[in-house]
Amino acid sequence: MAADPSPPVRHHPWLLRGVWSRPVPAEHAAARIAAFVYGNVLVLAALVALHPEDLSGPKAVAYVVGTGVSTFVAHVLAESVAARVLHPEEPPARTDLRHELRAALPIASATTVPALLMGAALLGWLAAPLALAAAIGVIVLRLAALGWVVGHLRRRRASVRTFVSGVLLALAGAGAALLKWWLTH
């Protein structure tokens, strides 16, 4: 009987094949992590400014999505300007824009799940208090998981230190979000 020529099966989802196994240059990883942190903090600030009754209409969803979209656009614009400062002699390239858009994806991902949860409340599929609490919880968990993500990008195993770093980051992010809410309301 002949050996099976198919490649070995990987133990992570097909969606992440190649994404998690490829090394990420430090500069790219840093840009994605920065976008991840402030995207999550700003979405969290938008969420803590809401009340469950705000989810009875589309305004709350628009508020959170608007926060995410405007942060995404601002990030891409800021990275474009920064790239021109670092490399003034080079004309902007399509690959640069793709890199900047890719680096901003963590902002879009920070917005997606809370918007879906709030949309579910708007449609009556979830109770508004539960949807809002879950949306806030998702963002706090994302921030808490960042220690693991940074360790992974650095090719280091998760440890107690990365876990504690993530929890401290979640607390700092929650503090920053509450500060924004307090200063703007």
Side-chain angles (χ1 to χ4, degrees):
M1 187 179 230
D4 183 11
S6 62
V9 176
R10 295 189 183 172
H11 295 285
H12 48 83
W14 65 269
L15 182 62
L16 297 177
R17 275 195 195 133
V19 173
W20 290 103
S21 58
R22 271 184 273 152
V24 177
E27 179 182 316
H28 295 185
R32 290 179 197 169
I33 290 167
F36 183 95
V37 171
Y38 67 76
N40 280 285
V41 167
L42 291 176
V43 168
L44 183 59
L47 289 168
V48 299
L50 298 173
H51 300 281
E53 57 271 12
D54 295 334
L55 276 65
S56 63
K59 193 173 186 178
V61 176
Y63 182 59
V64 171
V65 171
T67 298
V69 169
S70 62
T71 304
F72 182 90
V73 170
H75 176 81
V76 171
L77 180 62
E79 289 294 317
S80 289
V81 171
R84 299 314 153 253
V85 169
L86 288 173
H87 309 287
E89 66 286 343
E90 296 176 22
R94 190 179 312 199
T95 56
D96 293 338
L97 179 59
R98 272 188 294 193
H99 164 69
E100 290 149 10
L101 289 169
R102 189 177 309 120
L105 282 177
I107 297 166
S109 70
T111 306
T112 305
V113 173
L116 290 172
L117 288 166
M118 293 168 45
L122 184 60
L123 294 171
W125 298 346
L126 278 177
L130 176 63
L132 186 56
I136 290 169
V138 163
I139 298 299
V140 170
L141 287 174
R142 283 174 57 93
L143 286 167
L146 187 61
W148 177 83
V149 172
V150 170
H152 179 78
L153 289 172
R154 290 177 157 179
R155 299 280 191 227
R156 294 186 181 150
R157 289 181 174 256
S159 65
V160 172
R161 183 176 176 198
T162 58
F163 176 75
V164 170
S165 295
V167 170
L168 292 174
L169 177 64
L171 290 172
L178 289 172
L179 178 64
K180 182 194 178 291
W181 171 81
W182 181 68
L183 291 172
T184 58
H185 285 85

